[in-house]
């Protein structure tokens, strides 16, 4: 049976104004991570928050606090965070690469992470409704200097790049730049879909086939998974499993304002994966698949 990696993205950058059910305190984020791991997720992705402001905060200590809390209960699960995201209220779009990745370096030097976000491209993010209202979205900004810095850091510290593929060209850019950094660990290509945001494709089979075909041409044998933002990814779980892919779910990826929990999303994904002929990979099986 196909071994399927299941990732849970427990909160994202949205704040509770857009996704009221997300965990925000370090204690609550860790509790959700632990629950998702218990339900079957081998990979956990989170964004730390400043509870005083309700905004994402990207310090080594903020990430480490969550990771340490999870590690007290689960020593095996793969944990990784994110990067400061230009376009959010507390993040400047003029950050230098070393500033943006400072916490990644700090966490890697403490041996706390195995993966890091290194998204290979920039994209505009807006909702259909915002466009109709005349309200501007924002640009998710990842200039090539930042991508190169991130891949160099991954090569130096032995951590795997986690690529969010917001547009098809991200696959080509990510594969081309990965080839430049000798010794850089294998990246994971996460195909990002959306029902309501206007980047990429909707969660349709033709779109999955396009991404999968391009990924195999550009980086043969690289692992990939289906995910997204403001999306119901369930229609793509069975096709992904049948094609040897992997799955991400969680409140970060859900349409805004949903009334559910991360644990429930993971439990449902497990059922859909198993109904499609897949079995859940353990964290060590994920690690083995990245060698």
């Amino acid at each position: 049976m196909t071994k399927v990696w299941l990732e849970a993205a427990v909160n994202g950058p949205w704040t509770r104004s857009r996704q009221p059910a997300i965990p925000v305190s370090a204690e609550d984020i860790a509790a959700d991570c632990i629950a998702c791991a218990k339900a079957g997720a081998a990979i956990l992705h989170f964004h730390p928050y400043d509870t005083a402001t309700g905004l994402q905060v990207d310090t080594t200590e903020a990430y480490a606090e969550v990771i340490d809390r999870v590690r007290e209960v689960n020593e095996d699960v793969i944990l990784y965070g994110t990067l400061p995201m230009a376009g959010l209220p507390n993040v400047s779009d003029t950050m230098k690469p070393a500033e943006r990745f400072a916490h990644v370096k700090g966490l890697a030097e403490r041996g706390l992470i195995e993966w890091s976000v290194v998204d290979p491209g920039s994209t505009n993010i807006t909702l259909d409704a915002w466009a109709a209202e005349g309200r501007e979205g924002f640009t998710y900004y990842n200039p090539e200097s930042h991508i190169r810095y991130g891949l160099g850091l991954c090569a130096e510290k032995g951590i795997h790049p986690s690529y969010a593929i917001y547009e098809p060209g991200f696959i080509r850019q990510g594969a081309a730049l990965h080839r430049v950094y000798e010794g850089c660990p294998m990246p994971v290509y996460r195909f990002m879909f959306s029902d309501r945001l206007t980047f990429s494709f909707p969660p349709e089979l033709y779109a999955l086939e396009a991404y999968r075909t391009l990924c195999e041409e550009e980086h043969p044998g690289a692992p990939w998974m289906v995910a997204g933002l403001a999306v119901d990814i369930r229609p793509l779980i069975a096709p992904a499993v049948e094609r040897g892919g992997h799955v991400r779910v969680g409140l970060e990826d859900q349409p805004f304002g949903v009334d559910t929990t991360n644990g429930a999303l993971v439990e449902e994904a497990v059922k859909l994966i198993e109904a499609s002929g897949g079995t859940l990979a353990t964290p060590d099986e994920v690690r083995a698949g990245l060698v």
Side-chain angles (χ1 to χ4, degrees):
M1 298 179 78
T2 302
K3 288 288 185 179
V4 179
W5 308 355
L6 179 57
E7 176 176 335
V10 300
N11 52 7
W14 306 122
T15 76
R16 283 185 166 164
S17 65
R18 291 180 181 157
Q19 197 66 288
I22 61 170
V24 168
S25 71
E27 182 178 8
D28 288 346
I29 295 168
D32 267 29
C33 287
I34 291 164
C36 289
K38 186 175 181 179
I43 307 156
L44 301 170
H45 172 66
F46 70 95
H47 297 226
Y49 275 78
D50 179 345
T51 54
T53 64
L55 298 175
Q56 180 177 313
V57 60
D58 295 285
T59 64
T60 301
E61 291 304 327
Y63 285 93
E65 183 179 359
V66 174
I67 293 169
D68 288 343
R69 286 176 179 271
V70 176
R71 289 283 177 243
E72 289 175 1
V73 177
N74 187 313
E75 296 181 355
D76 296 327
V77 72
I78 295 166
L79 285 152
Y80 76 108
T82 188
L83 300 176
M85 186 174 180
L88 296 180
N90 58 332
V91 179
S92 167
D93 62 4
T94 61
M95 292 184 78
K96 293 180 172 60
E99 294 175 299
R100 198 161 175 229
F101 282 87
H103 65 283
V104 175
K105 183 178 180 181
L107 293 167
E109 288 174 347
R110 296 190 194 184
L112 292 178
I113 55 170
E114 303 167 62
W115 294 20
S116 174
V117 167
V118 185
D119 291 345
S122 302
T123 190
N124 291 340
I125 295 181
T126 193
L127 282 168
D128 283 327
W130 294 350
E133 294 165 2
R135 175 182 169 187
E136 288 192 15
F138 63 93
T139 299
Y140 180 36
Y141 186 57
N142 294 292
E144 187 172 322
S145 61
H146 291 220
I147 303 164
R148 286 179 174 272
Y149 184 91
L151 290 174
L153 185 61
C154 286
E156 176 188 346
K157 302 300 183 184
I159 54 181
H160 293 274
S162 175
Y163 284 166
I165 305 301
Y166 284 91
E167 306 291 355
F170 283 30
I171 293 175
R172 301 174 71 185
Q173 174 98 326
L177 290 177
H178 182 261
R179 289 191 288 269
V180 171
Y181 289 87
E182 185 175 353
C184 185
M186 175 70 81
V188 178
Y189 290 77
R190 182 163 23 90
F191 306 154
M192 301 293 283
F193 301 90
S194 189
D195 293 308
R196 303 176 191 188
L197 293 162
T198 58
F199 65 81
S200 185
F201 294 107
E204 300 286 350
L205 185 58
Y206 76 85
L208 174 59
E209 292 287 18
Y211 271 141
R212 186 176 69 93
T213 300
L214 181 59
C215 192
E216 184 60 26
E217 288 178 355
E218 294 292 331
H219 197 151
W224 55 269
M225 63 172 56
V226 293
L229 300 176
V231 69
D232 179 357
I233 205 66
R234 288 175 296 181
L236 288 183
I237 289 179
V241 172
E242 292 162 3
R243 289 159 175 77
H246 308 289
V247 177
R248 184 172 101 160
V249 296
L251 285 172
E252 175 172 356
D253 295 0
Q254 284 285 298
F256 298 148
V258 294
D259 182 17
T260 188
T261 66
N262 284 302
L265 292 167
V266 170
E267 289 170 0
E268 183 179 23
V270 170
K271 292 177 182 177
L272 292 171
I273 288 166
E274 292 176 343
S276 305
T279 58
L280 294 178
T282 66
D284 281 344
E285 287 170 334
V286 175
R287 293 182 181 102
L290 283 166
V291 173

